[in-house]
Structures are given as C-alpha cells and as structure tokens.
Amino acid sequence: MNVLFIARATLYDSPGGDTVQLLKTAEGLRKLGVTVDIGLTTGTFDHHKYDIIHFFNIIRPADILFHFRKSKRTVISTIFVDYTESEIQTSTFLRSTITRVFGGDLTEYLKTVAKFIFGKERLISKEYLFKGQFNSEKYLFKNAGALLPNSNSEASRLKKKFGSTNALLTKIVNAIEPIESIVPNSNFSNSIICVGRIERRKNQLNLIKAVKDLDIPCYIIGKAAINDPSYHEMCKNEAGKNVHFIEALPQHEIFSIMKAARVHALPTWFETTGLVSLEAAYYGCNIVITKKGDQVEYFQDYAYYCEPDDITSIREAILKAYQAPFNEDFKEVIGTKYNWTETARQTYACYQSLMNQ
C-alpha cells in the first residue's frame, strides 16, 4: 500500500501537535508495511501513484482542495480546531469585532487571503477564493473517503457543523511516545512548565499573569507563532522574574524537563486532544487545562481545570495541581490507550476498509 501524507507548508517551520501526529503516525504505519511519503502542500506530486492520499487539518482547506481533487482515495485527519473564541477574546479590535459579528469562518477566510496577498503563504487552491472557508471545509467533509477525528467529541462537532457525510468517520486516538529511559533534568525540578507554540489560542499571556507573583519558576517553552510575533512580545513584556522563555527543543529534552517539573499548564482557548499535556502527564506532571474543545474525553478527572479568561481560576488550578501528589494511574491509562502503535493500527484498519470499498 502506497500512501502520501500532505501537510501544511509550515509543518516544520512552525511545528505543533499536528507535526508530531503526522510524523509518528507515518513511523507507525511504516512498521506495519505501509509505504508512506510525506510532502507539503506547496509540493508537486504524481497523485495517482498513491493508493491513498492522507491530508491533515480540515480547517486549512486552501491548502488541501487542489491536491484533493487530484486524488483517487482521500483521508483527512481533521484536527478540527475552532479559533472563534480566542479571536473574540484576544485579537485586535478589528478581528475581534469581525469574528463576533460575522463568525469565525469569515475571520479565517480573511486571514488566509491576507497571508496570500502579503506574501506570507502561497494560496495553493485558487478555488478557495470563491468557495470561502465554510463551503470549502464542508466540501472536504462531504467528499472525503475517510475522516479521522481524534475523539468522539470532535466527530460530534464536525457533524453538528456540516451535517451528514458518506465518508468513513472513524475516531483515531492521538498518542504519545512512552520512553522509560528519560532522565529528569534537575534544572527544572518542581517548576511550572508550558510547552507549545506561543500564540493567542494557547493563552500563554494569561498563564504568565497568573504565575508572575509566585515564588515558583515557570518556563514557557516554544517558538513564537510565525504570523503573530507581537503576541510573543506581549508575553515577554508581561513576564515577572520567575518566568523564563526557552526556544523549541528536541523532543527528548522536553521529555526530560517534563519528568523534572511538577505542573504542566496550558490554559488554552481550544484544544482537540492536548497532545503535549498527554506527554507531560505521562512523564509525571500534574496537568492544568481547560474544558474548551475535546480535552475532557482524554483527561477526565485526572486534570485540574480552569477558565482561560479568569486569571484567578488559572492561578488556583495551578496551585492545587502543584500541591497534589501525582496520580500514577493516569500514566498507566496513557501508556495503554494512547500510544503510536495503537494510532497506527487504527489508521491502517481504516485504510484497509477504504481500499475494500
């Protein structure tokens, strides 16, 4: 079976959870005997060479449509993030007003077109200009061979927005890579950490406000979002003496930090899985997250929840998590249910179903 993964052009320049999901899924599928090539949306491919073309991020239809129409069998890992609330709550007055009045789809459309006009990103699929964000997403949803959300909650959100589909709609668990040989980095002992791209949706600014007066070191680990460097500056300007910024690190170094830290906090405005929080939990951190998106399906009662717009709520959840012992039961749940071997197995089963149709 020959499969081509096609991902956003910024997959490596601005890595995120989808980067990890794509690379680890490919690695697991190769172990099952699947030939997997990886390309970016800006690439040129012999589409009919492949049995299946697998796309990522249904919310980036401007990247997908062109290649989608040339593919005989299509799979989409939906990663169906909703930016609406973070745009309303944290963006500039103009973007916040547009989103509040016209909805998140128009905001995403305008952002995509603006990136194209100002030369920040190529517009691969010109028909996106005429279809718009909502109709482009809906077209992909209705016409894909298979759709792979990471949770039942995400699947429900897709159906609520776009209706029914003839596609195979199959939950594929997101996962972590259990490595038992990780040694704790003692420089980060008993610290608070936050790992992820520094962007408004991740809400690092409110996290910094919540911890800046605590006598506990806090490390913000990640790159600034390519298209919003001003947010990174806002975070640095707000930081107290206990808040430190670290550029993105190799994964094993991050795991070593997680194993030494006490709390991983990500008070995000929206998250599908919260992959980095799963990783942090496996390596021994108590987790502070929000109930925005689909995270509760993964974390259940094992996390400490806060409200992303309430500094006091974030602070109280962090302190509660910091003072609590770590629950080893959740580590066992993660290692058993949320590993890349299981993700690859589920994805391969979906491929086989699609090939047999």
Side-chain angles (χ1 to χ4, degrees), residues 15-17 81 83 86 90 194-207 231 265-272 274-276 290 308:
V81 177
Y83 289 91
S86 64
T90 69
C194 176
V195 179
R197 186 166 52 242
I198 300 173
E199 61 181 8
R200 295 171 195 267
R201 178 173 62 89
K202 301 290 188 183
N203 204 25
Q204 287 96 343
L205 183 60
N206 278 354
L207 169 62
Y231 185 72
L266 190 63
T268 179
W269 288 101
F270 196 98
E271 207 72 37
T272 51
L275 179 57
V276 71
T290 72

Side-chain angles (χ1 to χ4, degrees), residues 183-191 217 219 253 256-261:
V183 177
N185 185 334
S186 59
N187 293 324
F188 297 86
S189 294
N190 298 320
S191 62
Y219 297 91
E253 291 186 33
S256 181
I257 291 171
M258 288 174 171
K259 201 158 186 180

